[in-house]
Amino acid sequence: MIALVDCNNFYASCERIFQPQLENKPIVVLSNNDGCVIARSNEAKALGIQMGAPAFKMQHIFHKNKVHVFSSNFALYGDLSNRVMQILIQESPAIEVYSIDEAFLDFSGVMKMNQFSRDLRLKVKQWTGIPVSIGVAPTKTLAKVANYVAKRYKKEGVFALKSSSTINEVLKHIPVDELWG
């Protein structure tokens, strides 16, 4: 089995580590030169702020809803990414870092995948402050689907697609544009 560990709202989560008073507050992170929205907290997403939206067009929404706006800090995000990845490397016999906030892990030999995933999620949060979601499935594409479910619909942030009947049922409800690859 393959797990996809994905940091939740990564850049916004990084900003919250150093400003915990921003928990449950809307946050956006802007691109280089503060041109476009490149990251949003769940609270900002709920306000309808779109990824890639030009910041100048969002100013009225930012002001009206007291959105906390940050310039990107890629040195900070890279450092926190490295910390997360080091934990994942310790926990898995094989890891493929997919992006700054995602990695595929080899879960071969993991007997209690859900418990292992919950424990790993807790360890990453405790050691780095970064919340993650974990999706487990037989392929990378299905691990992405499982992560989509874990992130949006599972309070514990973990979901495994093991049986073909579960896979078929979940795929019926996932929009095609959400499928990876």
Side-chain angles (χ1 to χ4, degrees):
M1 296 291 271
I2 298 167
L4 174 67
V5 179
D6 186 7
C7 299
N8 299 343
N9 308 315
F10 183 58
Y11 295 170
S13 294
C14 290
E15 297 295 344
R16 281 186 173 148
I17 290 171
F18 295 97
Q19 296 190 58
Q21 73 276 14
L22 297 179
E23 195 67 37
N24 301 314
K25 304 262 193 284
I27 296 173
V28 298
V29 177
L30 303 178
S31 62
N32 290 341
N33 300 319
D34 294 342
C36 297
V37 174
I38 60 169
R40 306 157 297 155
S41 65
N42 288 336
E43 299 80 9
K45 291 174 187 177
L47 295 172
I49 299 170
Q50 297 296 311
M51 184 67 90
F56 78 91
K57 289 186 176 182
M58 298 282 103
Q59 290 303 319
H60 66 285
I61 293 174
F62 296 165
H63 181 71
K64 178 182 175 189
N65 296 287
K66 298 180 181 165
V67 176
H68 298 269
V69 180
F70 293 91
S71 296
S72 52
N73 183 343
F74 295 116
L76 171 67
Y77 309 149
D79 181 64
L80 286 165
S81 173
N82 287 335
R83 293 176 190 207
V84 170
M85 298 307 163
Q86 287 304 309
I87 294 166
L88 301 181
I89 287 167
Q90 292 173 9
E91 298 296 328
S92 178
I95 176 174
E96 178 185 341
V97 176
Y98 181 66
S99 69
I100 193 167
D101 70 335
E102 294 178 279
F104 290 103
L105 280 62
D106 179 0
F107 265 29
S108 299
V110 175
M111 301 308 286
K112 297 179 180 179
M113 283 183 254
N114 285 342
Q115 186 60 51
F116 183 82
S117 297
R118 285 191 297 271
D119 292 346
L120 180 57
R121 189 171 183 262
L122 181 63
K123 184 175 188 177
V124 170
K125 177 71 170 165
Q126 286 179 334
W127 288 21
T128 67
I130 300 293
V132 300
S133 297
I134 302 175
V136 182
T139 69
K140 289 179 181 177
T141 300
L142 290 173
K144 280 278 213 179
V145 170
N147 193 281
Y148 176 92
V149 173
K151 191 171 283 196
R152 287 161 184 81
Y153 304 111
K154 299 296 178 181
K155 183 178 179 181
E156 68 223 12
V158 170
F159 186 70
L161 285 173
K162 296 178 188 173
S163 70
S164 58
S165 61
T166 304
I167 292 168
N168 289 333
E169 188 59 34
V170 167
L171 288 176
K172 286 179 190 176
H173 301 286
I174 301 290
V176 170
D177 61 351
E178 289 296 333
L179 292 177
W180 175 69

